[in-house]
Amino acid sequence: AKQFDAFAVDAAILKGTKAETVHAFRMAMLLNGVDTMRQSGLLSSAHTGSDVERTVTAFDQALTDLQNEHLIG
C-alpha cells in the first residue's frame, strides 16, 4: 500500500472529511493501541518518546488500513 503524504493533501479537504471516515480512523487508531480521545487527539509533556513513537506508528498503520478499505485515497 502507498504511504499517506499529509503534505500532498489540501487541509480544506481533510477538514471536510465525512463523519464515517473520522469514526473509521478513530477505530483504526484504537485497534492499533492508541485512543485519540474523540477526533483531535492529545499530546502532553506526560507522554514519553516511546508514546509518541507508538502513536506515529499507529497513525501510519491506521491510514494504511483506511486506504486498504478504500475509505481514503
Side-chain angles (χ1 to χ4, degrees):
K2 185 176 112 182
Q3 272 201 305
F4 178 76
D5 181 2
F7 296 109
V9 179
D10 183 355
I13 292 171
L14 294 175
K15 289 181 180 181
T17 302
K18 294 178 183 178
E20 297 86 15
T21 305
V22 173
H23 178 73
F25 172 74
R26 180 158 191 269
M27 294 300 105
M29 289 293 286
L30 284 169
L31 287 171
N32 286 288
V34 175
D35 186 353
T36 59
M37 298 180 67
R38 300 187 189 191
Q39 297 176 11
S40 60
L42 177 68
L43 183 65
S44 76
S45 61
H47 292 96
T48 65
S50 178
D51 293 329
V52 173
E53 185 176 318
R54 187 172 61 244
T55 300
V56 169
T57 299
F59 181 82
D60 184 54
Q61 185 59 51
L63 293 178
T64 299
D65 295 344
L66 294 180
Q67 284 178 325
N68 290 341
E69 294 295 324
H70 306 288
L71 295 172
I72 61 172

